[in-house]
Amino acid sequence: MIRLNVFIQVDEKNHDAVVAAAKELVAASLKDQGCIAYDLFQSATRPDVLMICETWADAASLSAHEAASHFPTLVPRIQSLAAMKLEKFNF
């Protein structure tokens, strides 16, 4: 399995737009084959920090997700409004 932790740091002025795009990404991604979990979290101590936590069955599932129509639409939208950092773990 593959786990991705995507940290998103967003200014207050863009917060609502980023959360809306992230929720749309979560809803679409949960339907992707091989998606085990896909969740959006808000930091309890830092309102400017969000995290998307993804779990994929395998590399092929993750690659298909990255090629799905929602990914190249929503991820660049989030990137244009916030800073993103990715951590990847195989287990």
Side-chain angles (χ1 to χ4, degrees), residues 25-79:
L25 179 63
V26 168
S29 300
L30 283 169
K31 298 174 187 173
D32 290 343
Q33 186 169 356
C35 180
I36 295 170
Y38 209 102
D39 297 292
L40 174 65
F41 299 98
Q42 169 80 49
S43 172
T45 57
R46 294 190 51 199
D48 64 325
V49 176
L50 306 167
M51 184 179 80
I52 296 175
C53 183
E54 313 173 27
T55 306
W56 296 95
D58 51 37
S61 298
L62 178 56
S63 292
H65 162 66
E66 292 170 344
S69 62
H70 53 273
F71 188 90
T73 303
L74 295 168
V75 171
R77 185 183 313 165
I78 295 168
Q79 289 174 322

Side-chain angles (χ1 to χ4, degrees), residues 71-89:
F71 188 90
T73 303
L74 295 168
V75 171
R77 185 183 313 165
I78 295 168
Q79 289 174 322
S80 73
L81 299 169
M84 296 176 75
K85 178 185 171 196
L86 174 70
E87 294 179 343
K88 183 177 180 180
F89 305 94

